[in-house]
Amino acid sequence: GHAPSQVLLAFILDRADFAEDAFALYRDAAAQGDAEGDFNLGNAYLLGRGIAKDEKRALQHFSKAADAGHAGAVVLIAEWTAKDHPLLADRPPAQALAAVRRAAEAGHLPSMETLAQAYRTGRWQLSVDSQLAMDWQARATTLRAQRAAVKPPPPPKAAS
């Protein structure tokens, strides 16, 4: 009954090709409100692993996980929104904007750039605002530069 343990065991079972057993555990964890359970249940429905493929149910679980703050789900919903995924075609503009803004505020570079473009063009019924567009683009540029400046450590030198 411990949702994080169910998710961990489900992950192990899924990797060992016991997809149906994994699905059942993800479902149990999600039923307890576990965001990781919902996210992985969404993946199972999206891919048809352990259950019949059902993209609408996948979206329901991804959305529930995103609402609970699951970083991967937040990014996935933002990316689908930015790419006008057919499952999100009926989503009100305010919800679309909120999904992308949430990912952008969490540091997702493509969402920052999508938001900047939305302010430039008025996407999602936004008022065109060149200042906000420049602000979001500047945030994206700064973050990209910060990430580029963080270099992995050099490999250890071979002993002579």
Side-chain angles (χ1 to χ4, degrees):
H2 184 252
S5 297
Q6 290 170 323
V7 169
L8 178 59
L9 181 56
F11 176 82
I12 293 166
L13 290 170
D14 197 16
R15 296 310 175 268
D17 285 328
F18 292 96
E20 290 177 9
D21 294 324
F23 174 82
L25 287 166
Y26 286 139
R27 184 189 58 226
D28 291 347
Q32 295 177 60
D34 186 88
E36 189 71 26
D38 270 307
F39 181 74
N40 285 294
L41 197 54
N43 275 324
Y45 277 117
L46 183 65
L47 302 173
R49 272 189 70 73
I51 192 71
K53 186 174 181 173
D54 186 335
E55 291 184 341
K56 287 183 181 182
R57 285 185 118 178
L59 176 60
Q60 290 171 348
H61 287 284
F62 288 140
S63 295
K64 192 173 176 184
D67 289 345
H70 187 279
V74 168
V75 166
L76 182 134
I77 296 294
E79 288 176 348
W80 281 11
T81 299
K83 294 176 182 175
D84 295 320
H85 192 286
L87 287 175
L88 299 173
D90 295 335
R91 181 172 256 199
Q95 283 183 347
L97 175 61
V100 173
R101 179 175 281 130
R102 184 175 190 180
E105 289 172 351
H108 185 242
L109 280 168
S111 293
M112 289 178 177
E113 292 170 338
T114 297
L115 198 52
Q117 183 64 19
Y119 278 112
R120 279 192 286 277
T121 64
R123 186 176 185 187
W124 300 309
Q125 299 178 348
L126 281 172
S127 297
V128 172
D129 188 325
S130 59
Q131 184 60 52
L132 282 173
M134 288 188 307
D135 290 348
W136 277 107
Q137 193 61 58
R139 286 175 70 173
T141 300
T142 299
L143 186 57
R144 182 173 281 108
Q146 288 171 346
R147 289 181 179 171
V150 177
K151 297 178 183 173
K157 294 184 179 189
S160 356

